[in-house]
Every structure is written in structure tokens, then in C-alpha cells.
Amino acid sequence: MTVDEIGRRIDGLGLWDAVYPYHWAIKPKGTVLPYFFAAVKGDRGEVKVRVLLLEGWQTFHDFVRTGVDRNFGWYSSPIEFPHFELVILADGSSALFRHDPGYLPAAADEAGRSLCERMLWEVFGVMMRIESDRKLPLRYADEKALFARVEDRRGNWTDEPLPIPDPRTHVESVTFSKAELKKAKDLPFAAGDSVELDFRLVPGLATKEKRPRCAYVLAGVDGSSGENIIWNCISVNPETGLRGMWESVPPRILGLLSARGRMPGEIKVVSGRMFRLMRPLCMEIPFRLSLHDRLPRLEAAYLAQCDPSRFVV
């Protein structure tokens, strides 16, 4: 069966509410890493549900931890996790995409479609069984293992417990140039000034490459006037990935603030991740760092400036 045919069968079961809370593993023969099922309710009217096949244990651990704390790690959106994704539309049709960190989703190639046909058929089989056994995905929970469908060398699929390894400790490293720090410390300190800052993935902006990369924007506005003082578009370096991009943000901010000729007395942010990453700079420059639920002037700047024509590769 084709991906679209399997997608229609899965959707026809009408079991989305029953499987949203659960995950299970699929381990086809010939693959090094297992894949993990996750279903996400559609975020737009035409999208009914997204079926994610997350690639590897580390991705799965990060997905779960980001679901608990959206500021954990480096991921801002489900599109950034390495995975295959079956998008099921309201009319029952579907489309299959490949996602990789820092890149726009791309239609799955022939090899990807072939692999996903096998895995999605197993998803369909598991969901049919969940119809009569709602606790099936929890079968091996007492063994600290995930329910898995595993394919042997002969192409036979069986139920197996997949032991859950401990996730790697999340480590962040933010460093600054000594010369840049000295320059900043020698600048006037404007105690009454405040700057509102954020760094985020901006949908609709991308590089103009054969395989487009997502665009992330570091924006800053004057806390009193709302004047734009920072507008910096960045894309992921394939060699350093999301980690390298995020860890480069605080040194980038230091350089951009130094270019203004003075240091502000306060920096306001709207995400726990930015607050966490900016704290090392507080150890060097005595500004006040504050976390806010909303910064209307900053949001207005993003809305006004996020025009794809402004992004230059």
C-alpha cells in the first residue's frame, strides 16, 4: 500500500484521542536507530493530525523533555526534530515529509517513502489493537521499556520490550571573547536604558538554497521607545547545528550592544531559554536580566519586520 492509502486507513480508525498520550517504537530491519511514534493534533484548519516517526533515542528523549518544558535544550518547534512526518489533512488525504534540524521540511524521497510505508503499516496494526486494548503501549512500562514492533532478518514483526536508556545530560557552553568583554566594560553604562530581546525561529523566512534552511531572527528594541536596534537573521551551520547556533547568541548580543556605544541597565526577555543563556553575561556586565510573559513592543517589531524579502542569504 502507498503512504496515502495507509494514512487513510489509520485516520479511518478514529482513534486519535486514544493515542495522543502514548508513544511506541518501531525497529525495521536494516536500520541502526529505532523510530518512535508520536501523534500531534493539527495546528491549522486544514491539518487534522501529524504523525511523527522520531529518529533515534536522543531525539525521542529530547522530544519528551521539550514537551514537559518548552525551554529545554535547543528545539523551538516539532519541525526541528529529525523525523519523518505524515501530515493528514481534514479531507483524509496526506503528505509525507522529511524533517532535519535547521532545514525546511522536504517531501520524502523514494527511499524514505519505502521505509515509511513499512513503518506506517505497523502503526496501523498497533492502532487497530489499541482499539480493543487501550493500554497496549504501556505493556512493558514496569520493565522500564517501551512497547516496540521489531522486524527480524526474515521480515517478521514481533512485539518486544525496548529498554529505555538514560538520556544524556544536557550541557550548554557559552563563552565570550576577552577583547569583546573588555571593550564592553569600557563603554558608558546607561542605567536607565532597557533593551527587549528575543531569538526565535520565524516561519516564512528561509535561505534561497537547493535545500532551504530555516531562518532565525535575533531582534532587539529599545524598552522605552520601541525603536528597532537589533535585527539579525541567522541560519544553522550544518557543522555545529542547533547547539552551535544557540550558544553563539549571547556573544552575538554582546557585540551588537557594544556597537551601540553604551551598555543598557536592563535586558528583558520572554523565554526561559534566552534567560538561561544570557545569565553568563550577567556575571561580566552588571545589567539586570528579567523574564516577562509578554513584551508588546518586541512582538510588534517581529510582526512588522518579518517579511521574507528582508532575509538576504
Side-chain angles (χ1 to χ4, degrees), residues 260-278:
R260 297 180 71 217
R262 64 183 186 277
M263 286 289 113
E266 182 176 15
I267 291 180
K268 302 177 181 179
V269 297
V270 286
S271 85
R273 182 179 297 153
M274 280 292 288
F275 185 86
R276 188 175 72 238
L277 289 172
M278 288 296 292

Side-chain angles (χ1 to χ4, degrees), residues 41 56 59 61 85 102 125 134 139 148 171 173 184 192 240-241 264:
K41 190 173 294 187
T59 301
H61 282 311
E85 182 172 311
R134 296 299 174 98
R139 174 178 290 180
V171 177
S173 177
T240 57

Side-chain angles (χ1 to χ4, degrees), residues 86-211:
L86 181 69
V87 179
I88 297 178
L89 304 178
D91 64 3
S93 64
S94 60
L96 182 67
F97 296 94
R98 173 67 198 185
H99 291 247
D100 290 293
Y103 290 88
L104 289 186
D109 60 17
E110 185 176 347
R113 294 186 70 85
S114 177
L115 174 62
C116 287
E117 285 167 2
R118 294 160 57 202
M119 292 196 292
L120 289 169
W121 185 250
E122 292 306 309
V123 167
F124 175 56
V126 172
M127 288 180 65
M128 286 186 66
R129 294 166 65 186
I130 288 175
E131 194 169 16
S132 58
D133 181 4
R134 296 299 174 98
K135 298 298 183 181
L136 178 65
L138 300 178
R139 174 178 290 180
Y140 303 114
D142 291 343
E143 302 175 36
K144 196 188 175 186
L146 211 59
F147 177 85
R149 290 289 290 166
V150 179
E151 185 181 22
D152 65 22
R153 294 179 181 178
R154 297 180 180 180
N156 300 313
W157 290 86
T158 56
D159 296 348
E160 293 186 18
L162 197 64
I164 301 173
D166 292 331
R168 291 200 303 260
T169 302
H170 178 73
V171 177
E172 297 174 349
S173 177
V174 176
T175 59
F176 303 94
S177 159
K178 290 183 179 180
E180 196 66 53
L181 282 173
K182 183 178 186 307
K183 176 183 175 182
K185 291 176 180 179
D186 289 341
L187 293 173
F189 187 74
D193 281 5
S194 68
V195 174
E196 300 178 1
L197 287 171
D198 197 25
F199 180 66
R200 64 181 67 169
L201 171 66
V202 178
L205 293 183
T207 62
K208 297 176 181 178
E209 300 173 278
K210 184 176 181 180
R211 188 183 185 191

